[in-house]
Amino acid sequence: MSSRATILEKIKQNKPSKISELPSLELFVLLGLDTFDLLEKYKTVLKSIGGDFVEVKDYDEIIDFVKKNYATEKRMITTIPELAEIATTDWFNDDPHSLEDVELTLVKAHFGVAENSALWVTDDLLRQRVSVFIPQYLAIVVYKKDILATMHQAYDRIGNQEYGFGTFIAGPSKTADIEQSLVLGAHGARGLTVFIMD
């Protein structure tokens, strides 16, 4: 018998006799853990993981904020037509390698999650997957009404969707692997600003 066959046979023999059911989330709801102030929780968690937020009423406020807080002479890209005044919108078919000099990428999120400040984005919003991982800074727009309480609700929402690529983004890129020293921007954007829109 080959090693592969031996391993597979041992796995079959060690199969649990009873498969556990998924835990009930009723206790979670009964304890009120899904009813905290979503917006405040989202903002608090985002700040705690190195991100920042700006509450805005419309895209004009985002344009004003970007003009005041980012080096507008550097390359900015967006998938949001309303932000064409400050960022390029015709880069979707460019070679992904050509995006290496992007200072700021601005995109939308489908929704956010208050418990961990994650934002759900898919390829239909990103146009190019690398667009959120390659810039120096990242800005994501999410509507207040689209902030969910928990990841349980998030997975309920995306469970039946079809997409080629999707990811949760929470805060700027970071690592503390070396000497337990926190480094922002280790593997991606050095900063994340979430524009929370009415």
Side-chain angles (χ1 to χ4, degrees):
M1 185 180 283
S2 70
S3 347
R4 179 178 181 274
T6 303
I7 292 169
L8 291 174
E9 187 57 38
K10 286 187 179 188
I11 290 171
K12 285 180 188 174
Q13 291 171 3
N14 203 16
K15 187 176 175 183
S17 58
K18 182 179 178 188
I19 297 176
S20 302
E21 291 183 22
L22 292 173
S24 168
L25 299 179
E26 288 180 26
L27 179 62
F28 187 81
V29 174
L30 289 173
L31 293 174
L33 298 177
D34 64 337
T35 58
F36 45 73
D37 182 330
L38 297 181
L39 185 57
E40 287 308 309
K41 178 71 173 179
Y42 185 89
K43 294 188 297 189
T44 301
V45 173
L46 180 62
K47 281 290 212 182
S48 75
I49 63 171
D52 206 356
F53 66 88
V54 179
E55 292 188 60
V56 294
K57 291 185 177 70
D58 54 32
Y59 288 107
D60 289 335
E61 289 189 15
I62 294 175
I63 291 169
D64 291 342
F65 182 89
V66 170
K67 285 180 177 178
K68 289 176 187 166
N69 294 281
Y70 292 93
T72 54
E73 71 278 0
K74 294 194 176 181
R75 188 173 181 196
M76 297 185 193
I77 61 173
T78 186
T79 58
I80 306 169
E82 293 87 349
L83 300 179
E85 179 183 331
I86 54 169
T88 307
T89 58
D90 62 352
W91 55 273
F92 307 143
N93 296 316
D94 292 357
D95 177 350
H97 297 94
S98 72
L99 302 178
E100 67 184 355
D101 63 342
V102 172
E103 180 75 4
L104 175 67
T105 296
L106 299 113
V107 297
K108 283 184 185 178
H110 291 288
F111 61 85
V113 183
E115 76 171 325
N116 60 5
S117 82
L119 295 157
W120 176 248
V121 293
T122 58
D123 46 7
D124 64 315
L125 294 177
L126 302 179
R127 303 300 174 100
Q128 287 201 33
R129 296 173 189 177
V130 72
S131 66
V132 292
F133 302 109
I134 204 167
Q136 291 295 312
Y137 299 96
L138 178 61
I140 302 179
V141 178
V142 66
Y143 290 100
K144 288 179 183 176
K145 66 179 181 56
D146 291 328
I147 295 178
L148 309 176
T150 67
M151 287 299 286
H152 295 86
Q153 293 168 334
Y155 280 108
D156 279 345
R157 189 162 173 180
I158 66 175
N160 294 323
Q161 286 184 359
E162 289 191 26
Y163 45 87
F165 172 81
T167 188
F168 284 103
I169 297 175
S173 169
K174 55 195 153 303
T175 185
D177 291 345
I178 300 171
E179 297 181 7
Q180 299 301 301
S181 177
L182 181 64
V183 177
L184 296 180
H187 310 293
R190 294 187 307 174
L192 169 68
T193 300
V194 178
F195 290 107
I196 303 172
M197 192 176 285
D198 289 335

